[in-house]
Amino acid sequence: MNVNTEAGTANFEYLQQAAETTDTRTALRDLMTTYGDDVWNYAFSLCRNSDMSDDITQEVFLKVYRKLGSFRGESSIKTWLLAITRHTAFDMQRSSFWKRITSSDIFTAAAAVQPSAEHEAIERFAINDIWQKVMELPVKYREVLILYAHYQLSMKEMAEILKLSEGTVKSRLFHARARVLKLKERDLIEPE
């Protein structure tokens, strides 16, 4: 048995025990501490809105709290959480409430005099040229690059999260890399 399988089994047993006892709050706190940043960052990479990322993260952990016993251990906890994050992000983006809020954010942001600390932190993150290019990509390409490069997931794990075949994931990853290279070449030819 390899280390990942042993760790996955231990995590599965821990969550099963927590779900069967009254210790679900401790398990949830542990999950939030361990994976909270990963969930928020993935949510932000999908929606590019820090307020919405906060709400998505909160909703993900509420869902996890309610469904803690449904984790079957067929994937890693991280893969499970990122799949929930993806579904929650797309559900929220489709909701009419968020469409109204995000369109009004354009006017609010223009009126702001000084950027918030969150905005400055995001700006510092975006300074990295490659990540700026990645964030310009359509979601289907952006998310495979982020899952692969940032979260270092395997093709199988990405296919599971995205509900796609491994071949489709490989194809999207290939095309995403090609698009980033094209964007870099464009910037070399047409500097700002």
Side-chain angles (χ1 to χ4, degrees), residues 68-139:
L68 198 56
S70 71
F71 179 71
R72 296 183 306 264
E74 295 171 357
S75 63
S76 71
I77 293 174
K78 186 178 197 175
T79 302
W80 182 58
L81 287 170
L82 293 177
I84 294 169
T85 303
R86 181 176 191 268
H87 295 298
T88 304
F90 289 145
D91 287 346
M92 282 189 153
Q93 286 178 323
R94 281 190 292 263
S95 83
S96 62
F97 171 76
W98 273 109
K99 287 180 183 174
R100 286 192 308 265
I101 294 298
T102 19
S103 63
S104 70
D105 282 349
I106 295 167
F107 301 110
T108 309
V113 177
Q114 183 176 355
S116 69
E118 290 169 318
H119 182 71
E120 289 178 0
I122 292 167
E123 288 287 319
R124 274 186 252 120
F125 176 76
I127 289 173
N128 183 333
D129 187 49
I130 296 295
W131 286 112
Q132 284 180 331
K133 303 296 182 259
V134 169
M135 295 304 282
E136 290 177 29
L137 297 175
V139 172

Side-chain angles (χ1 to χ4, degrees), residues 5-125:
T5 307
E6 290 173 3
T9 304
N11 287 333
F12 174 67
E13 290 169 359
Y14 169 73
L15 287 179
Q16 286 301 109
Q17 179 185 3
E20 293 168 1
T21 66
T22 58
D23 204 20
T24 53
R25 288 183 183 178
T26 302
L28 181 66
R29 191 171 333 148
D30 291 347
L31 289 173
M32 289 172 69
T33 301
T34 306
Y35 300 106
D37 288 342
D38 289 334
V39 168
W40 190 92
N41 289 330
Y42 186 47
F44 182 79
S45 74
L46 295 172
C47 69
R48 295 189 261 184
N49 180 305
S50 60
D51 293 333
M52 190 173 188
S53 299
D54 291 342
D55 290 341
I56 291 167
T57 302
Q58 182 177 4
E59 185 64 27
V60 165
F61 285 110
L62 284 172
K63 287 178 180 179
V64 168
Y65 181 74
R66 287 186 214 117
K67 305 273 186 184
L68 198 56
S70 71
F71 179 71
R72 296 183 306 264
E74 295 171 357
S75 63
S76 71
I77 293 174
K78 186 178 197 175
T79 302
W80 182 58
L81 287 170
L82 293 177
I84 294 169
T85 303
R86 181 176 191 268
H87 295 298
T88 304
F90 289 145
D91 287 346
M92 282 189 153
Q93 286 178 323
R94 281 190 292 263
S95 83
S96 62
F97 171 76
W98 273 109
K99 287 180 183 174
R100 286 192 308 265
I101 294 298
T102 19
S103 63
S104 70
D105 282 349
I106 295 167
F107 301 110
T108 309
V113 177
Q114 183 176 355
S116 69
E118 290 169 318
H119 182 71
E120 289 178 0
I122 292 167
E123 288 287 319
R124 274 186 252 120
F125 176 76

